[in-house]
Amino acid sequence: MSNYVFFLDYAKQAELYYDIRLRIDNTLELHATEEQKQRCIDIVDFVLDSAR
């Protein structure tokens, strides 16, 4: 299971429990390399990797 899918499911559970709306951005899922996904990067890591 990818981190994206994990947090998508987690957000759905939180929305039901707390009666709130959350949005999980898919930028990293769409644009990160497999190596970056394996490292479980966040958006800051992605930007820094892209600047190199």
Side-chain angles (χ1 to χ4, degrees), residues 1-14:
M1 172 188 312
S2 72
N3 286 335
Y4 175 74
V5 172
F6 171 80
F7 282 107
L8 197 60
D9 290 342
Y10 194 84
K12 287 178 187 177
Q13 292 175 26

Side-chain angles (χ1 to χ4, degrees), residues 3-52:
N3 286 335
Y4 175 74
V5 172
F6 171 80
F7 282 107
L8 197 60
D9 290 342
Y10 194 84
K12 287 178 187 177
Q13 292 175 26
E15 285 179 331
L16 292 173
Y17 186 80
Y18 294 107
D19 192 28
I20 59 174
R21 297 255 315 139
L22 297 172
R23 181 177 180 276
I24 305 300
D25 187 86
N26 66 349
T27 299
L28 292 177
E29 186 68 14
L30 295 175
H31 300 287
T33 66
E34 287 303 315
E35 185 270 332
Q36 288 170 319
K37 291 176 185 178
Q38 289 294 318
R39 289 184 5 232
C40 300
I41 66 166
D42 60 21
I43 195 68
V44 173
D45 294 324
F46 183 75
V47 170
L48 291 174
D49 284 357
S50 298
R52 294 181 188 156

